[in-house]
């Protein structure tokens, strides 16, 4: 019997390797499975082969929308290799791509337990935390003024007898805790997110809030008397995004008025006013549109009468606190909504124009678009202004093609609802182009790429020095500036390969190609494997707009693209260095973790006489909260901080307060073939001054010795990242210790 099993195992292993060599991953996986099941003693010998095939087969299954089969294969394989970090990580990656972050977190933690230095699992764990708990929860909970304002408004209403409360979208449960300690008789808190509902349950238990009934449902699914015994007198909700309506507060409150709120009940906030202004802002211009007015940095190429706008039909959100922004028009209120008037709320549930105002330009300038913000009136006296100071809300930005205007020009600004979201636009008979333009709506990464003059200049410079023997080029950037510039300046270059499935982008490239009278042809690819000949020059743009290098998974991108290179061919860029600088920042730590001190109640109690006060000290959002030993001490941070991350991606550090504490250091040269450790010494710091609490990290891209471009710039095509340092760094400095940063590199992944 043993001989028969041995023969089957040997034959299965042979078949597995044959199918693997032919790229038949499914058949190879089946035969490898037979080997590991029938021959436990051979599992360690074939573990790498088995894992390679499983990962390849899993990708093929996912591409064919067979995610259930992916799950079955990985779960079965992990029975044999329960501590294989790569297997655990890749399974988690499938789960993340299919929006199952909680399940993915379990496998990623197992992967890091098996191998703490397996960096792909650590990076995916950060992604999983971000997917499980939206990052806006952290700055929101750290916004003491917001918390203070809601606390005051809740106390005032409950003091007036509105003491049965429904907290819609409770999140961590903070507003429900405020209601409890304000004396509410009944409190119901609903939350549809399973993760946030679990966090709220832990928060209530830790704060001895058993009287708060937590219901893990959307408010629109609540039923009386199954979930709550009767209609409530007070509905509290803070479900607002930068565009006010984006978190579906309108249908939520329509339903609440209809089924959940008593006829004499009230809503906090009571109403809101939306403000809008036309702006001139270079930062917005470079990220929201491309108008090719000064094309010198495009080398030999010209883009006459072409403009580019984002393909996102709604708005972007930006923190513009530290950005130069000029209001071309006076800020004006354009919408008012009374959350206590069900008829008025209902009008905002219907798509279409809601208001139009006419205003005039205050000076000569360029209109780059509109910005909108709101004042949230919690009651008759307490207001939160989302445009002020350190508000957790950013501004809603509605970009447009930059238009010149003159002082006194009148423009019409419209606000409408579209698919439940706000949409603002402007028009004017005077603000038209003298020459008719061709407008293309393209992804944001194309816009930021085309607006990065320094990077584009580096690319066109690299293209201009290409020798005459080049006949073909492959360009993998968001827009093939390098390839087009090379073809126009080098008549021997006849073919440009470019991968894209975006039809609008392909049309844009073809127009530039035709307008510049470039000889040769563009071959658009769905897959790089469609390349049918060797290529003389390949530009590999493996940068993600959020500040990372593209993860190629199992495959080396150098090895992959080298397969297409001619003997005399070469890859660009030549080198990529990781750069870093230590900084002190009050803003960055608030983006990744919550402090309990920021969620505590305002110390004074509210009596009837208190609620009648109208002084700035008592009712202004801007008043500074003060606390006393009599205030309850809420314990909340530890539960949401289970999902904190230490690396902030998609960061433009110029938008946030920070102060350089060290010189700029080269941290390492990126090498996708290496797994190694780097140790960088930043030296000692004066402990009597500000100490570093974060490391800003970006890339230096080198095309040649004298052609170098760094990505930490206001007009960079990509953002960068920051690593928030642990408190132990500060303690080390206070002990007169040196600051040393250890970087673990796993191919193109790294952790600090």
């Amino acid at each position: 019997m043993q001989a028969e099993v041995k023969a089957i195992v040997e034959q299965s292993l042979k078949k597995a390797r044959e199918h693997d060599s032919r790229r038949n991953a499914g058949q190879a996986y089946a035969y490898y499975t037979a080997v590991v099941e029938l021959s436990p003693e051979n599992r360690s010998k074939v573990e790498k082969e088995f894992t390679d095939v499983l990962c390849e087969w899993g990708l093929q299954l996912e591409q064919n929308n067979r995610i259930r089969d992916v799950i079955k294969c990985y779960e079965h394989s992990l029975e044999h290799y329960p501590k294989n970090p790569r297997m655990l990580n890749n399974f988690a990656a499938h789960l993340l791509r299919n929006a199952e972050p909680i399940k993915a977190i379990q496998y990623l933690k197992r992967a890091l337990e098996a191998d703490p230095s397996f960096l792909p699992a650590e990076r995916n764990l950060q992604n999983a935390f971000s997917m499980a708990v939206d990052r806006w929860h952290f700055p929101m909970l750290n916004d003491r003024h917001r918390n203070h304002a809601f606390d005051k408004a809740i106390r005032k209403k409950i003091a007036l007898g509105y003491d049965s409360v429904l907290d819609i979208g409770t999140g961590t449960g903070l507003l429900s805790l405020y209601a409890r300690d304000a004396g509410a008789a009944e409190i119901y808190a609903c939350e549809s997110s399973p993760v946030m509902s679990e966090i709220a349950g832990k928060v209530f238990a830790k704060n001895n809030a058993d009287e708060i009934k937590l219901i893990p449902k959307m408010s629109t699914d609540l039923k009386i008397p199954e979930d709550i015994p009767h209609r409530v007198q007070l509905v509290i909700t803070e479900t607002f995004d930068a565009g006010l309506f984006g978190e579906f507060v309108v249908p939520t409150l329509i339903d609440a008025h209809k089924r959940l709120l008593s006829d004499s009940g009230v809503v906090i906030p009571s109403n809101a006013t939306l403000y809008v202004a036309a702006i001139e802002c270079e930062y917005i211009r470079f990220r929201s549109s491309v108008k090719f007015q000064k094309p010198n940095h495009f080398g030999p190429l010209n883009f006459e009468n072409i403009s580019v706008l984002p393909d996102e039909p709604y708005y972007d959100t930006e923190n513009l606190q530290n950005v130069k922004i000029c209001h071309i028009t006076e800020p004006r209120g354009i919408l008012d909504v009374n959350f206590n008037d069900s008829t008025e709320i209902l009008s905002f549930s219907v798509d279409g124009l809601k208001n139009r105002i006419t205003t005039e330009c205050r000076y000569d300038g360029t209109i780059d678009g509109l910005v909108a913000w709101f004042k949230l009136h919690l009651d008759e006296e307490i207001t939160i202004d989302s445009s002020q100071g350190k508000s957790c809300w950013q501004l809603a930005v509605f970009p447009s093609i930059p238009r010149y205007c003159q002082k006194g020009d009148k423009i019409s600004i419209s606000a409408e609802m579209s698919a439940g979201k706000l949409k603002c636009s402007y028009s004017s008979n005077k603000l038209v182009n003298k020459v008719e333009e061709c407008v293309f709506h393209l992804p944001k990464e194309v816009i930021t790429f085309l607006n990065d003059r320094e990077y584009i200049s580096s690319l066109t410079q690299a293209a201009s020095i290409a020798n005459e023997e080049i006949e073909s080029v492959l360009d993998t950037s968001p827009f093939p500036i390098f390839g087009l510039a090379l073809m126009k300046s080098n008549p021997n270059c006849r073919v440009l390969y470019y991968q894209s499935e975006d039809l609008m982008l392909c049309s844009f490239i073809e127009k530039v190609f035709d307008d510049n009278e470039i000889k040769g042809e563009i071959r658009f690819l769905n897959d790089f494997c469609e390349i049918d000949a060797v290529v003389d020059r390949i530009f590999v743009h493996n940068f993600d707009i959020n500040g990372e290098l593209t993860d190629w998974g199992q495959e080396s991108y150098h090895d992959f693209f080298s397969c297409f290179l001619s003997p005399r061919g070469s890859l660009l860029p030549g080198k990529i260095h990781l750069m870093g600088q230590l900084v002190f920042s009050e803003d960055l730590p608030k983006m990744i973790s919550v402090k309990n001190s920021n969620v505590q109640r305002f110390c004074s109690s509210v009596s009837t006489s208190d609620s009648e006060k109208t002084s700035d000290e008592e009712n202004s959002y801007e008043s500074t909260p003060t606390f006393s030993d009599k205030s309850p001490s809420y314990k909340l941070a530890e539960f949401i901080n289970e999902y904190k991350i230490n690396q902030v991606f998609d960061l433009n550090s110029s938008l946030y307060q920070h102060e350089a504490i060290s010189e700029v250091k080269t941290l390492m040269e990126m090498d996708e073939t290496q797994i190694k450790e780097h140790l960088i010494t930043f030296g000692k710091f004066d402990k009597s001054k500000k100490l570093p609490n974060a490391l800003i990290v970006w890339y230096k891209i080198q095309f040649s010795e004298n052609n170098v471009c760094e990505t930490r710039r206001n007009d960079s095509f990509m953002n960068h990242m920051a690593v928030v340092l642990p408190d132990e760094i500060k303690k080390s400095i206070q002990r007169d210790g040196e600051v040393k940063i250890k970087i673990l590199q796993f191919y193109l992944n790294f952790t600090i």
Side-chain angles (χ1 to χ4, degrees), residues 285-557:
R285 186 183 311 152
F286 284 167
R287 283 154 181 79
S288 303
S289 64
V290 186
K291 191 174 177 65
F292 302 93
Q293 297 168 319
K294 298 177 181 179
N296 295 338
H297 61 290
F298 288 101
L301 301 173
N302 69 75
F303 295 76
E304 291 185 6
N305 305 326
I306 296 176
S307 291
V308 178
L309 284 176
D311 56 6
E312 167 58 51
Y314 296 105
Y315 50 84
D316 203 352
T317 61
E318 294 282 359
N319 171 26
L320 301 179
Q321 178 184 342
N322 297 319
V323 171
K324 182 180 179 182
I325 176 172
C326 301
H327 292 99
I328 292 280
T329 63
E330 194 72 35
R332 293 271 304 276
I334 193 169
L335 292 179
D336 288 291
V337 54
N338 185 347
F339 297 125
N340 282 298
D341 186 331
S342 57
T343 302
E344 187 171 323
I345 302 173
L346 192 62
S347 69
F348 284 92
S349 67
V350 180
D351 284 354
L353 181 68
K354 299 306 171 188
N355 195 21
R356 180 182 287 117
I357 60 173
T358 300
T359 185
E360 66 178 41
C361 298
R362 301 160 67 192
Y363 54 84
D364 296 353
T366 301
I367 298 179
D368 294 307
L370 306 174
V371 294
W373 64 95
F374 56 84
K375 288 185 178 179
L376 205 59
H377 308 293
L378 304 189
D379 62 14
E380 299 81 2
E381 299 166 331
I382 302 173
T383 295
I384 301 174
D385 187 335
S386 71
S387 71
Q388 285 186 347
K390 298 287 186 178
S391 171
C392 61
W393 286 285
Q394 299 182 339
L395 297 182
V397 178
F398 302 86
S400 66
I401 296 174
R403 298 280 190 253
Y404 295 113
C405 66
Q406 294 181 322
K407 182 179 179 179
D409 285 347
K410 294 188 181 300
I411 66 172
S412 176
I413 301 179
S414 301
E416 60 182 294
M417 296 297 289
S418 176
K421 285 192 173 185
L422 175 69
K423 189 174 182 180
C424 294
S425 58
Y426 77 91
S427 61
S428 171
N429 291 333
K430 284 193 173 184
L431 303 182
V432 296
N433 281 338
K434 295 180 181 179
V435 180
E436 185 177 352
E437 286 186 340
C438 186
V439 180
F440 292 88
H441 294 267
L442 299 172
K444 185 177 181 180
E445 65 172 352
V446 178
I447 291 173
T448 58
F449 179 82
L450 289 171
N451 276 323
D452 188 338
R453 297 184 178 187
E454 184 172 329
Y455 191 57
I456 295 296
S457 294
S458 293
L459 289 181
T460 54
Q461 180 182 342
S464 66
I465 62 175
N467 62 61
E468 295 183 356
E469 295 181 356
I470 292 178
E471 298 179 0
S472 59
V473 59
L474 167 61
D475 191 330
T476 71
S477 58
F479 184 88
I481 288 289
F482 175 79
L484 290 171
L486 194 154
M487 291 186 78
K488 185 165 185 179
S489 61
N490 187 334
N492 293 314
C493 187
R494 308 294 297 174
V495 180
L496 166 61
Y497 294 99
Y498 184 76
Q499 185 183 35
S500 179
E501 297 178 1
D502 187 323
L503 296 180
M504 179 73 78
L505 178 56
C506 292
S507 297
F508 178 36
I509 295 169
E510 287 177 339
K511 177 170 177 55
V512 174
F513 186 84
D514 293 339
D515 288 353
N516 281 271
E517 299 180 345
I518 298 174
K519 306 300 180 183
E521 63 174 316
I522 302 175
R523 296 185 186 175
F524 292 103
L525 311 168
N526 292 319
D527 191 290
F528 290 123
C529 293
E530 296 174 13
I531 297 174
D532 56 4
V534 293
V535 180
D536 296 316
R537 184 75 85 246
I538 299 179
F539 171 55
V540 183
H541 180 94
N542 61 324
F543 301 97
D544 187 278
I545 188 174
N546 296 326
E548 296 181 271
L549 293 181
T550 305
D551 183 6
W552 285 76
Q554 304 172 53
E555 200 151 23
S556 161
Y557 75 86

Side-chain angles (χ1 to χ4, degrees), residues 233-245:
Q233 296 169 306
L234 177 62
V235 164
I236 306 166
T237 189
E238 203 280 72
T239 48
F240 304 96
D241 73 339
L244 189 61
F245 304 107

